[in-house]
Every structure is written in structure tokens, then in C-alpha cells.
Amino acid sequence: MKKIGILGGVGWASTVDYYRAISQGAGKYFAKRGYGSPLPIPPMTIESVTQAETRALRGVAGDEASWAGFDAVFREALLTLENAGCDFGIIASNTPHARLHAIRQGVSMPILSIFDATAEVTAATGASKALILGTSVTMQATHYADRLAEEGITANDRLPNPEIAEMQAMIDRDFYGGASDSARPRLLAFCNKHATPGTAILLACTELPLAFPDHLDDPVFEAEGHLFINPSAAHVAAALNEALEG
């Protein structure tokens, strides 16, 4: 098995869920192949950054220089994982992937992209439209839209700034540290407002799938009349494939 490096801490709840999902997924993999207890899991190292610090270091869209501090924190964390002997890395957060082109500079080990894993899963559903929900960085950027376009899927036009701010506030208020009692209804209300029939809704913040605890490990699922894509689960599946079969 290959050793997985997990860059976490943004936020801690999704980091816990990545570790759980990888461990349980590996257990199922080996159980199906006749292994007995304790079931093997891939070796892993977690390097956790501080979200309060990285949030303060976010730059301005279109201004590469303004992201230098943000990029440096994540690059250093990836180098720490590389030095710990990890064969490849995953970042347990959507937002930093918008900066992956810069963060990975100087890092030799492969980094699995959540954009690639998500686009492939979304394409397999046959959907032609997508609504991308996430942090303000994710919703203001075009990385998901660009990668989906390669699969023939049209993403939503950028939502107005007040709508993006509403989603960011929802993430900070209702999802940090786990989903609150009001998280699911607020998220569904937002989806009902912005998703037309047949749209694949990308829960492109690693905390958002916490609103659907029965589907945390499902890359694709349906709930409340909507088709949802869980990028975190798609990312975990790609990591398991690389660690166990790659």
C-alpha cells in the first residue's frame, strides 16, 4: 500500500471525516478480499494547518502576489508530508485547490486534485448542468467550471456577491465543527433557489456534505429532489484507488 499524506485543518471536522472514510473504505476493500480483523488500512500522516491563520492569509482573486503567504503555509505542510515519506498527498479542503498550481511548486510527490475526481464523478451521472457551492474563494473562481467544461458540463454563472457571502456565512455559522440543526434546511433553501431541474449540485466545501450524514461516503446521491455530488467522497475514492491499486 502507498502511504497517504493528508493536509488537514481547514476545517478539522472534514479532516476527521477524510481519515474515517479512508480507513472504513480500506476496511471494506480488504474484507471483500477475505482478510480478517484487524483489517488493514493505508499508512497515513496528517499535517494540520490552522484555519484561523490561513483564512487571514487569503489573497485577492486575480492578484497572484497577494496569495504568497497563503500558498507558503500549504506548501510547507505538503513538504512536511513529503519528508515524512508519503507517496502522494491530498488536501482535505476545497478552497486551497484553487491555489494548487502555486502551492505544489517545489513539491515532488503527486497531489490528487479534488477537481479531477469531482468532474469525473459528475460526468458519470450524465448531468449537463452543475451548481457549484462552497466558500467565497471556490465560488468566485472558475476552477471547477473549467474542469467540468472538459467533461461537457456547463456550470452556473457566477452568483451575485451577496449570494456568495450568504453561502460563506452559512459555512462559517452552520458547518464549522459539524452541521448544526439548521444547516440542512438552510442549505436546501439555497439549493431550491438556485438549482434548476436536472442540475448536479456540487457540495464543494468539505463541510457541506455533513448536512447529509447518511451520504458522507457517497460521491453521488439524491435528497429532497436534488442530485448532489460530494467532492469529498469522490476525492477519498480517488485516494483509496491510488493507495490500494495505483
Side-chain angles (χ1 to χ4, degrees):
M1 288 186 287
K2 293 182 180 179
K3 184 176 182 180
I4 305 173
I6 302 176
L7 197 168
V10 274
W12 67 262
S14 58
T15 307
V16 171
D17 199 57
Y18 262 71
Y19 184 84
R20 176 203 58 77
I22 289 171
S23 299
Q24 290 184 344
K28 291 176 183 177
Y29 175 93
F30 285 108
K32 288 180 180 179
R33 288 159 176 75
Y35 284 71
S37 183
L39 293 165
I41 65 171
M44 289 178 270
T45 294
I46 298 174
E47 180 69 10
S48 185
V49 298
T50 302
Q51 189 171 29
E53 176 187 2
T54 59
R55 175 70 64 85
L57 290 172
R58 285 183 183 178
V60 178
D63 182 357
E64 281 290 301
S66 69
W67 289 91
F70 181 94
D71 297 341
V73 171
F74 285 90
R75 184 182 304 112
E76 187 64 31
L78 288 177
L79 288 171
T80 298
L81 292 171
E82 182 174 288
N83 292 333
C86 297
D87 294 296
F88 68 94
I90 55 174
I91 303 176
S93 174
N94 280 267
T95 300
H97 280 81
R99 299 295 308 165
L100 191 56
H101 64 283
I103 291 169
R104 72 194 329 168
Q105 291 183 14
V107 179
S108 299
M109 70 174 178
I111 310 299
L112 299 190
S113 167
I114 200 170
F115 300 141
D116 290 340
T118 303
E120 291 167 8
V121 163
T122 306
T125 69
S128 60
K129 300 178 294 182
L131 172 65
I132 301 164
L133 304 181
T135 65
S136 57
V137 173
T138 296
M139 293 178 71
Q140 289 168 354
T142 64
H143 300 84
Y144 265 115
D146 293 343
R147 185 60 183 84
L148 289 168
E150 295 178 18
E151 304 290 342
I153 302 166
T154 302
N156 60 283
D157 292 333
R158 175 173 162 169
L159 295 180
N161 287 336
E163 301 293 296
I164 294 176
E166 178 185 347
M167 177 53 62
Q168 180 68 71
M170 187 188 310
I171 291 168
D172 292 339
R173 179 180 62 241
D174 294 312
F175 286 93
Y176 179 74
S180 69
D181 292 340
S182 59
R184 180 166 174 152
R186 285 178 175 165
L187 177 59
L188 287 171
F190 196 94
C191 294
N192 292 337
K193 181 179 180 181
H194 295 288
T196 58
T199 298
I201 302 174
L202 274 60
L203 300 175
C205 168
T206 43
E207 281 85 11
L208 290 177
L210 298 174
F212 305 96
D214 293 337
H215 297 287
L216 291 178
D217 298 330
D218 298 331
V220 180
F221 64 93
E222 294 185 10
E224 307 292 339
H226 293 293
L227 172 66
F228 288 101
I229 308 297
N230 182 347
S232 302
H235 205 201
V236 164
L240 280 169
N241 184 68
E242 181 66 21
L244 303 178
E245 300 183 1

